[in-house]
Amino acid sequence: MLYRLKNDFRLSIVTLLSGSAILGITPFAIMRFLDGNLLAGFIDLGILVVLSGSLIYAWVTHDTYRSGIFLAIASCTGAVVVGILVGEVGLFWLYPCLVTTFFLAPSRVAAALNLVSVLAMMTVENAFTSSVQMWTFVASTTIVSACSYVFALRNKEQRERLEQLATIDPLTGVKNRRSMDQELDLAAANAERTGLSYALVILDIDHFKKINDEYGHGVGDNVLRDLVGLIEENTRRTDLLFRFGGEEFVVLFPGVDEDNLKTVVANLQQGLRRSLKGPGGPVTSSFGVAVLRHGESVTSWLSRADHALYRAKESGRDRVVYGDDF
């Protein structure tokens, strides 16, 4: 539960806002029933049911996009209805809704929803004691909506930046180990569901430590970046490249079966052997290859490719070794 809240921002927002709204509205619903204001009480009760339903839906289905939009619409609608029923007091319920819509729904949807809610509230005859109060309400809700939009937009940009930093290797610009683990899990799940074949290659630059020791880490970094460029030139757009760690990289090949995998890997090896160079001359790489088996775990799949790479290193480097499924 805590893991999902930490790693799913929209779910955490839906949970926080729904929980806060439920805690805030429940006492008023009870109070209205005790005061005999049954209509307003049932309206509050309906809002609570909708909030709880949206929260449960988001947790069960993982569909936080639709549940967020529905929650925003329900909250604003409920605030307007309460304003119609109780008059001026109901105006205050709209302000938190105007803020939260930008965190629950896309910006355009939230802006349109806020505009409609404010216009609807302006039509309520008993909501304002004077035209000055009404236009003050319009001005204040406009400021609240604008500030909420800017804050939500800034928050989204920072979150996307943090997500990028967490999944991209800063030196080479390719996806890192964390991202690789996620993609391999998705590939294994997709293979079981659709039957699509997947292969992965772990490649390691031969004698990379010697390059760093003799010419410096700056030169070694350039070799790594050149390697990434050459891999991208010699693979398809649908193939995924990850930095596994140090001078090791992983290439995930979707839709490549055993019949043409050897040709694909041989072409990649020849491309690197022909073009990858350092100050001391050509730079070679060793390859470990494994095709995902039916029902195999990602750990086992990766381990077989890693073991094949170890055998490639042990048998002289600058060669391709396939897992024991070949």
Side-chain angles (χ1 to χ4, degrees), residues 160-180:
E160 290 176 347
R161 176 61 177 164
L162 288 175
E163 290 175 353
Q164 183 183 35
L165 292 174
T167 58
I168 300 297
D169 174 52
L171 175 63
T172 61
V174 299
K175 294 182 178 181
N176 61 14
R177 173 68 182 269
R178 177 182 178 182
S179 182
M180 184 195 75

Side-chain angles (χ1 to χ4, degrees), residues 3-304:
Y3 176 82
R4 287 185 62 187
L5 290 175
K6 288 180 180 179
N7 291 275
D8 191 332
F9 175 77
R10 190 180 289 272
L11 178 63
S12 65
I13 290 295
V14 169
T15 302
L16 175 63
L17 297 181
S18 297
S20 300
I22 290 171
L23 291 175
I25 295 174
T26 299
F28 287 91
I30 296 173
M31 181 183 66
R32 282 171 181 143
F33 278 117
L34 293 177
D35 290 342
N37 190 352
L38 297 182
L39 180 57
F42 279 113
I43 293 295
D44 287 340
L45 183 60
I47 295 173
L48 290 173
V49 171
V50 170
L51 293 174
S52 302
S54 299
L55 181 59
I56 295 172
Y57 175 83
W59 275 91
V60 172
T61 66
H62 298 255
D63 184 3
T64 55
Y65 179 80
R66 289 187 179 86
S67 60
I69 293 177
F70 183 75
L71 185 60
I73 294 174
S75 300
C76 288
T77 302
V80 172
V81 172
V82 170
I84 294 174
L85 293 177
V86 302
E88 183 179 359
V89 177
L91 295 177
F92 297 101
W93 285 108
L94 187 59
Y95 283 94
C97 297
L98 299 178
V99 174
T100 57
T101 52
F102 287 102
F103 294 92
L104 294 171
S107 298
R108 292 183 179 180
V109 175
L113 187 58
N114 284 11
L115 177 61
V116 171
S117 300
V118 172
L119 292 176
M121 196 68 81
M122 291 174 65
T123 63
V124 181
E125 295 181 358
N126 62 334
F128 305 98
T129 57
S130 67
S131 59
V132 173
Q133 186 189 37
M134 183 183 71
W135 289 111
T136 301
F137 168 77
V138 172
S140 61
T141 53
T142 301
I143 294 173
V144 167
S145 296
C147 292
S148 301
Y149 168 74
V150 172
F151 183 77
L153 182 63
R154 182 62 176 168
N155 182 274
K156 179 183 177 182
E157 292 175 348
Q158 291 179 339
R159 189 172 69 254
E160 290 176 347
R161 176 61 177 164
L162 288 175
E163 290 175 353
Q164 183 183 35
L165 292 174
T167 58
I168 300 297
D169 174 52
L171 175 63
T172 61
V174 299
K175 294 182 178 181
N176 61 14
R177 173 68 182 269
R178 177 182 178 182
S179 182
M180 184 195 75
D181 292 338
Q182 296 172 350
E183 292 291 348
L184 293 185
D185 287 337
L186 291 174
N190 190 54
E192 288 297 306
R193 186 175 65 255
T194 66
L196 183 68
S197 62
Y198 285 88
L200 65 81
V201 174
I202 304 180
L203 62 95
D204 183 284
I205 298 177
D206 297 327
H207 305 294
F208 184 72
K209 184 177 184 300
K210 183 178 179 181
I211 296 175
N212 279 335
D213 291 342
E214 292 186 4
Y215 304 102
H217 289 277
V219 173
D221 290 346
N222 289 334
V223 171
L224 293 175
R225 284 189 283 262
D226 291 342
L227 173 69
V228 166
L230 290 170
I231 293 175
E232 291 176 341
E233 289 178 8
N234 289 275
T235 53
R236 305 166 302 176
R237 290 185 178 181
T238 54
D239 301 329
L240 299 177
L241 173 62
F242 312 92
R243 188 178 182 187
F244 193 32
E247 66 273 23
E248 287 188 350
F249 292 82
V250 170
V251 186
L252 176 63
F253 293 100
V256 177
D257 56 25
E258 296 179 5
D259 294 333
N260 57 18
L261 179 59
K262 288 187 176 181
T263 302
V264 171
V265 177
N267 290 337
L268 176 59
Q269 182 192 29
Q270 291 299 324
L272 298 183
R273 182 185 288 164
R274 180 176 57 251
S275 303
L276 186 61
K277 300 184 185 302
V283 178
T284 61
S285 301
S286 300
F287 297 74
V289 187
V291 175
L292 178 65
R293 295 168 172 172
H294 177 69
E296 184 178 22
S297 68
V298 170
T299 301
S300 173
W301 183 24
L302 196 59
S303 177
R304 288 192 298 111

